Amino acid sequence: MNNFLTEKLSAFQSLETPFYYYDLNLLEQTLTKVKEEIVNKPYHIHYAIKANANSRVLKSIKKAGFGIDTVSGNEILKALEMGFDSSMIAFAGVGKTDKEILIGLKHDIFTFNVESLEELKILDQLAGSEGKKAAVAIRLNPNVNANTHHYITTGLEENKFGINPWELSQLFDLLAQLKNIELKGLHFHIGSQIRDLSVFKNLCNRVNELQKEFKARNISLEHINVGGGLGVNYQEPDAELIPDFKAFFQVFDDFIELLPGQELHFELGRSLVAQSAALISKVLFVKKGIKTNFVILDAGMTELIRPALYQSFHKVENLSKADAPSSHFYDVVGPICESSDCFGKNIQLAETERGDLLAIRTTGAYGEVMSSNYNLREDAKIYFHDEI
Ligand code: LLP
């Protein structure tokens, strides 16, 4: 095994574990690839800050010229603090508080991505009381199956997100009445970690159908926002450090029917940042059982909750034994007092011993940002490629 982590092994050995290691060169190469794929197209990216709100990651995103997709007032404030222009900040979420709506209004954000008729009415009232007009994209639930984990599926009727198509006539009535709402576009987001690109083709077809309903009423839309969701290769990260953005955007080139002058917006999160980080952890103990041998790490679900929460797979590598054959099977677990604190069962690794450094790969998205201090553990430490 030889990759951007094995190169850093001797530097890693002198650091206190566990920590997230970020390779911002890889991040910047990924962002460059995205930019190359959308050049000369009416496409715009709002990075989904929920995937990773680390300031240095955000600096790279800003340098790439992307906007931001937010889901809370604090995410809006963080984006502003990092210097993102408010005209490039979208704000989604089924449960925006009045306080959060007022933050968005104060800063004249790009759009409130409105998820219910009631929210639209409240937004109109609050905008009126502030003497503002709220720029809005209506989030529609397209009822398209994302074929991904049910916890990260968002575009089905059974999900809580967006306005359902059968509410459209009520929506049109409301839009005609509300004086402080400026309709800018339509918003969709059907789920995350989508590897089957035909799902996005289905989304395009549904967007085209729904867009006709607006056109039939002479309602003009400056943009369509198709959300995020492009998946990454968790199984073999080194085989695909940069996701196939060409194929992804090609689906939209081929199937979305934009009206003249209309822009297409994307809210990519995971696909931009996931491969750029790994969680590095030390083996505390190797505990031999009758059927199972446990590798017990000093990182746990507090640093990376995805395996415990979604049974998600992250590749585990023994960096200290990079040249040895993967001849042994282990359950790789953390130290937290929860049986779900397990990074993977029956993981094939080189023979592993106390003190070895393990990398848990593809943790740049929904890793650091979802970490917690449960068991009063310390914040995860962070290192960047140019610091060590
Ligand atoms: N736009 C909206 C409205 C979203 O809700 C999301 C993610 C995104 C964009 C970005 O999606 P992405 O490109 O990252 O797939 N914690 C979960 C993922 C939750 C995703 C929530 N929404 C995980 O660790 O897999």
Side-chain angles (χ1 to χ4, degrees):
M1 183 210 331
N2 188 15
N3 56 36
F4 70 93
L5 299 167
T6 50
E7 282 169 17
K8 290 278 181 183
L9 180 62
S10 61
F12 289 167
Q13 274 159 343
S14 61
L15 299 171
E16 192 188 338
T17 50
F19 58 87
Y20 276 98
Y21 171 71
Y22 286 91
D23 186 329
L24 297 179
N25 284 332
L26 175 56
L27 173 62
E28 292 187 4
Q29 284 161 24
T30 308
L31 301 175
T32 302
K33 186 77 182 116
V34 173
K35 280 170 65 174
E36 281 167 15
E37 293 304 333
I38 63 172
V39 72
N40 296 329
K41 295 178 188 171
Y43 294 0
H44 297 270
I45 311 290
H46 299 256
Y47 165 64
I49 191 172
K50 68 172 80 62
N52 189 318
N54 183 291
S55 297
R56 284 204 64 188
V57 168
L58 293 177
K59 267 189 197 155
S60 299
I61 302 277
K62 172 141 192 302
K63 207 165 81 183
F66 297 165
I68 293 282
D69 159 53
T70 64
V71 283
S72 73
N74 282 345
E75 284 189 351
I76 297 177
L77 293 175
K78 176 77 185 183
L80 291 170
E81 179 194 314
M82 294 303 300
F84 287 89
D85 200 291
S86 60
S87 66
M88 289 165 85
I89 299 177
F91 180 22
V94 288
K96 302 176 184 78
T97 64
D98 292 12
K99 186 175 161 190
E100 291 175 314
I101 290 175
L102 289 170
I103 292 174
L105 286 170
K106 177 171 172 209
H107 295 283
D108 298 313
I109 57 171
F110 172 65
T111 50
F112 289 85
N113 294 349
V114 170
E115 308 228 10
S116 67
L117 299 180
E118 192 169 21
E119 181 190 335
L120 192 64
K121 290 185 219 163
I122 297 299
L123 179 58
D124 177 69
Q125 280 172 21
L126 288 172
S129 66
E130 296 298 298
K132 298 245 178 181
K133 272 195 187 300
V136 161
I138 298 294
R139 179 168 181 177
L140 293 176
N141 184 339
N143 201 20
V144 170
N145 195 340
N147 291 333
T148 184
H149 191 285
H150 63 284
Y151 279 12
I152 49 176
T153 292
T154 49
L156 289 176
E157 276 169 15
E158 69 205 51
N159 300 129
K160 67 182 174 184
F161 302 96
I163 292 175
N164 285 303
W166 62 83
E167 296 170 296
L168 274 182
S169 71
Q170 257 179 295
L171 171 72
F172 294 134
D173 291 346
L174 258 185
L175 285 171
Q177 288 161 29
L178 301 179
K179 298 280 169 279
N180 309 307
I181 296 293
E182 206 170 329
L183 182 65
K184 298 278 187 188
L186 298 183
H187 175 231
F188 302 85
H189 173 76
I190 53 174
S192 199
Q193 185 49 19
I194 298 169
R195 294 280 285 163
D196 171 2
L197 292 183
S198 70
V199 165
F200 293 111
K201 176 183 169 189
N202 297 340
L203 172 63
C204 289
N205 291 337
R206 208 50 201 117
V207 170
N208 297 339
E209 278 170 25
L210 288 164
Q211 159 129 262
K212 285 192 185 115
E213 305 265 348
F214 287 76
K215 189 152 187 273
R217 285 167 182 78
N218 278 325
I219 302 177
S220 69
L221 300 164
E222 287 173 11
H223 75 267
I224 303 290
N225 179 342
V226 286
L230 177 63
V232 298
N233 192 339
Y234 282 99
Q235 311 296 323
E236 287 303 334
D238 290 320
E240 202 182 335
L241 284 175
I242 299 183
D244 191 352
F245 292 111
K246 189 180 183 60
F248 173 69
F249 290 113
Q250 188 68 48
V251 175
F252 294 90
D253 298 348
D254 290 345
F255 298 105
I256 201 104
E257 291 164 10
L258 294 180
L259 300 176
Q262 216 169 37
E263 293 178 345
L264 189 61
H265 290 240
F266 296 85
E267 298 171 339
L268 297 175
R270 185 190 318 265
S271 54
L272 301 185
V273 292
Q275 298 292 17
S276 310
L279 176 60
I280 309 294
S281 177
K282 197 168 273 176
V283 176
L284 293 174
F285 305 108
V286 179
K287 186 164 159 180
K288 295 206 188 313
I290 297 176
K291 286 196 187 142
T292 314
N293 293 328
F294 292 98
V295 164
I296 303 171
L297 297 180
D298 61 4
M301 62 196 287
T302 40
E303 286 71 42
L304 179 69
I305 202 174
R306 302 192 70 256
L309 193 56
Y310 318 109
Q311 295 80 46
S312 57
F313 176 88
H314 286 263
K315 189 167 192 194
V316 180
E317 293 170 345
N318 186 335
L319 300 178
S320 304
K321 303 283 158 58
D323 298 325
S326 299
S327 51
H328 286 60
F329 288 89
Y330 300 98
D331 284 8
V332 178
V333 302
I336 310 299
C337 307
E338 303 275 346
S339 295
S340 60
D341 184 29
C342 175
F343 290 113
K345 290 188 183 298
N346 247 339
I347 306 289
Q348 213 171 341
L349 292 174
E351 187 166 17
T352 295
E353 57 185 344
R354 174 174 167 83
D356 284 355
L357 281 182
L358 268 57
I360 303 167
R361 300 289 307 271
T362 320
T363 47
Y366 307 110
E368 183 193 339
V369 82
M370 289 178 82
S371 61
S372 78
N373 300 108
Y374 181 44
N375 288 190
L376 297 188
R377 283 166 63 84
E378 289 172 13
D379 286 345
K381 283 175 265 311
I382 313 292
Y383 295 99
F384 295 93
H385 70 289
D386 54 2
E387 292 176 337
I388 55 173

